[in-house]
Amino acid sequence: MDGKLSEVTTNPVDTKPGAASIDGALDEALQFEHGLSFWQACRLYPSAIGWSAFVSLGVIMLAFDPQLLGNLYAMPKFKEDFGYLFDGAYIISAPWQTGLSMGNPVGQVVGALVAGYPMERYGRRVTFGVCVVLTAGLIFIQFFARSLEVLLAGELLGGLVLGCYAVIAPAYSSEVCPLAIRGILTSYVNLCFVMGQLLANGICAGTTKLTDHWAYSIPFALQWFWCLIIIPGLLWVPESPWWLVRKGRLEEAETVLRRLASEKVNVKQTLAVIVETDRLERELEMGSTYWDCFKGVNLRRTEISIGVYCTQVLSGIYLINYGTYFFQLAGLPDDDAFSMGIGFLAVGFVGTLVSWPLIVRFGRRTIYNSGLFFLIVLQLIIGILDCIPGRPTSVIWAQSSLMLIWNFFYDVSIGPVCFVIISEASATRVRSKSIALATAAQGALGCIMTVAIPYMINPDQANMQGKLGFFFGGLAGICFVWAYFRVPETKGRTYEELDILFERKVPTRAFGDYVIEGGSHDGVF
């Protein structure tokens, strides 16, 4: 392909089974997919990019809520209204921190598993819309809460809905975009996580000096902003063409594909590839239930999705929710702690942007494993520094700076690439279920960390401070060994090709160089 956009227009193809031109059309469509460059895809699929980014806005709300809570534990007025005196200062007790912070991960577990059913039955669009409306209503409980008990109820109920966004966003993004921009749009989910966290830190830094309840009520109220943006656009969100094909609604799928692509794209060929991939998965007896995620080759694919997502938690990402509080306990003044918390996430924002050209240029496996190795080294250095007697000010600032660097490498590597891998490793017929299981597993580990971290960092408990680096560095080391032997290279593969690679049981380290001889639709064996 010489890069001219005019070459993408070809003769329409009959997508009915048994059509004489189906093999040639599929080969041509696959060659077009592989030959399309990143910038060509951006010019040909602007609507797909826009709607993918729109649906991912739900992730900003998902990330905002737990980050807000982590900042409230460091907010003077919130601690005064909801906490108790300890050594002359107000704090929120570790049990209540645990209970409040459990709302998001518990919701992620239950909400993710529940989301898989309406996403498959009613579609991505309807499920997303219902979740946004429910979120808007449940914010009222948080906004008017004046006791820890009411706030806990709001967090638990809100978390049940927020957990659905972690499944909807990557699934939708992976199903509306072509191969050339699939990695960027699925990794954009991570950028939305960072934006939600960054906004929570910035807003709390701006309201923390208020001396009345508005110090924490304003941050809760600003969650309605995203609902007001999303709700009017719900009427125009296109449904996933992959879901429509699985439901046998081919004409609607073709209409949606025309909305997602420019007029220069032959959407009939794109539809033919979707139909053929769905046919192949049905031929391979890939069902669409949760149980099917653990049957046959899907077991390996589900393991990969769950593993890469859980590695985020085991490497220490839940410390971000306690970033400002952690910096306070490390010895930084309140203003410096809030500023460091904002800088912490700003670095993550930049890191995610830096990851995009790397995702286009290098493989998923390479970026994921290399980044994870650097995270291990940084965590261990932080732990070693904490062993210096007396912990002088220079050590405190060095540890804080290393946490910034850690967050940069996280958001260059395992942060965004995780969402690419879970979208590509799962079979299309069980994608929503597979992502839901990975999200639920990550949330379950998050529940454990939510219970453990307050006890590990609170001054009235273990008060581990920087020695947490040893804990998370060790866990990340175990994850690195697993990832080296189990995470394959999925870059540059269509979903049909990935089905064939997994069905042929290609070894992990051979994925990237494996050649599928002949047309990929000619057979598996």
Side-chain angles (χ1 to χ4, degrees):
M1 184 172 182
D2 64 8
K4 296 179 180 179
L5 297 180
S6 59
E7 289 193 3
V8 302
T9 55
T10 55
N11 295 327
V13 57
D14 184 0
T15 59
K16 295 179 181 179
S21 60
I22 187 68
D23 285 351
L26 285 169
D27 284 337
E28 188 175 349
L30 291 172
Q31 289 173 7
F32 165 65
E33 276 276 288
H34 284 295
L36 197 63
S37 72
F38 172 76
W39 292 113
Q40 287 172 335
C42 289
R43 293 195 295 271
L44 289 172
Y45 294 89
S47 294
I49 295 172
W51 286 117
S52 173
F54 181 81
V55 172
S56 294
L57 289 177
V59 177
I60 296 179
M61 295 190 288
L62 167 63
F64 185 95
D65 184 72
Q67 191 68 24
L68 170 59
L69 279 177
N71 279 279
L72 293 182
Y73 302 148
M75 184 177 287
K77 184 58 180 175
F78 183 84
K79 290 190 289 186
E80 180 184 335
D81 288 355
F82 293 89
Y84 71 99
L85 277 172
F86 177 79
D87 285 348
Y90 284 98
I91 66 170
I92 305 297
S93 67
W96 269 113
Q97 284 190 36
T98 299
L100 289 170
S101 299
M102 284 287 278
N104 195 270
V106 167
Q108 185 171 314
V109 174
V110 179
L113 294 175
V114 170
Y117 289 105
M119 284 178 68
E120 194 57 39
R121 181 168 184 176
Y122 301 108
R124 283 72 166 122
R125 176 175 176 268
V126 172
T127 305
F128 178 61
V130 171
C131 286
V132 175
V133 173
L134 287 174
T135 297
L138 292 171
I139 292 172
F140 281 98
I141 300 177
Q142 300 172 344
F143 179 76
F144 288 107
R146 293 297 179 268
S147 69
L148 289 173
E149 291 80 4
V150 175
L151 184 57
L152 175 60
E155 288 298 322
L156 286 171
L157 293 173
L160 292 174
V161 181
L162 292 174
C164 299
Y165 298 123
V167 181
I168 298 170
Y172 185 84
S173 296
S174 67
E175 294 177 345
V176 299
C177 61
L179 176 62
I181 55 176
R182 189 174 67 199
I184 300 298
L185 290 184
T186 49
S187 66
Y188 176 74
V189 173
N190 186 74
L191 187 65
C192 289
F193 268 106
V194 176
M195 286 192 289
Q197 294 164 344
L198 182 60
L199 286 168
N201 274 23
I203 291 167
C204 287
T207 64
T208 188
K209 292 185 178 180
L210 296 179
T211 57
D212 55 16
H213 74 90
W214 289 108
Y216 48 85
S217 293
I218 288 175
F220 281 128
L222 289 177
Q223 293 179 98
W224 279 310
F225 172 77
W226 299 107
C227 298
L228 292 175
I229 290 179
I230 296 172
I231 289 175
L234 290 174
L235 295 175
W236 293 277
V237 174
E239 184 53 84
S240 162
W242 288 83
W243 180 80
L244 290 170
V245 166
R246 287 197 296 276
K247 296 300 180 181
R249 295 154 61 175
L250 300 188
E251 290 185 3
E252 292 180 56
E254 183 176 337
T255 300
V256 166
L257 288 170
R258 293 190 187 282
R259 288 187 59 194
L260 294 171
S262 72
E263 294 180 354
K264 296 179 180 180
V265 176
N266 187 334
V267 297
K268 287 187 177 293
Q269 286 189 345
T270 305
L271 179 61
V273 172
I274 297 175
V275 171
E276 173 63 13
T277 303
D278 185 65
R279 183 202 63 78
L280 175 63
E281 293 190 357
R282 282 186 282 106
E283 183 180 284
L284 297 175
E285 297 182 350
M286 293 183 182
S288 58
T289 68
Y290 278 116
W291 178 241
D292 290 312
C293 293
F294 299 98
K295 291 169 61 177
V297 294
N298 275 344
L299 176 60
R300 180 186 179 189
R301 305 175 79 161
T302 302
E303 176 210 336
I304 293 168
S305 296
I306 291 175
V308 295
Y309 213 164
C310 288
T311 296
Q312 290 188 337
V313 179
L314 295 174
S315 65
I317 191 57
Y318 264 65
L319 281 175
I320 286 183
N321 295 343
Y322 296 87
T324 302
Y325 188 52
F326 177 81
F327 290 133
Q328 275 187 341
L329 297 178
L332 295 182
D334 287 356
D335 288 346
D336 288 339
F338 273 98
S339 297
M340 186 64 79
I342 295 173
F344 190 66
L345 292 165
V347 166
F349 183 91
V350 173
T352 304
L353 296 180
V354 171
S355 75
W356 289 354
L358 297 179
I359 289 172
V360 173
R361 175 67 178 84
F362 301 102
R364 284 65 159 131
R365 171 182 165 85
T366 300
I367 300 172
Y368 192 89
N369 289 345
S370 300
L372 184 54
F373 177 79
F374 280 114
L375 298 184
I376 296 168
V377 173
L378 290 169
Q379 288 279 23
L380 293 178
I381 293 175
I382 291 171
I384 292 170
L385 287 174
D386 207 67
C387 296
I388 296 176
R391 294 184 74 245
T393 303
S394 58
V395 169
I396 295 173
W397 279 104
Q399 289 178 313
S400 299
S401 299
L402 285 171
M403 283 296 291
L404 293 179
I405 298 172
W406 181 92
N407 198 41
F408 175 80
F409 278 104
Y410 173 91
D411 284 304
V412 166
S413 57
I414 71 172
V417 176
C418 164
F419 295 102
V420 182
I421 294 174
I422 64 175
S423 299
E424 295 179 337
S426 54
T428 60
R429 291 183 65 82
V430 292
R431 177 168 296 126
S432 62
K433 301 290 198 308
S434 180
I435 294 177
L437 285 169
T439 303
Q442 196 248 29
L445 275 180
C447 291
I448 297 173
M449 292 301 174
T450 300
V451 172
I453 289 176
Y455 287 95
M456 288 192 286
I457 67 175
N458 256 31
D460 60 342
Q461 300 294 331
N463 196 26
M464 290 178 66
Q465 299 178 333
K467 292 182 181 64
L468 279 171
F470 291 126
F471 178 74
F472 286 111
L475 291 177
I478 297 172
C479 294
F480 177 79
V481 174
W482 171 84
Y484 181 80
F485 290 104
R486 300 299 291 170
V487 177
E489 182 53 70
T490 57
K491 179 179 182 291
R493 300 289 192 179
T494 65
Y495 292 131
E496 184 183 15
E497 290 169 339
L498 290 170
D499 286 341
I500 294 171
L501 289 172
F502 280 110
E503 184 64 27
R504 292 180 179 177
K505 297 180 174 60
V506 175
T508 296
R509 285 173 283 176
F511 251 65
D513 300 323
Y514 190 87
V515 178
I516 301 176
E517 297 180 358
S520 62
H521 54 277
D522 291 336
V524 177
F525 306 103

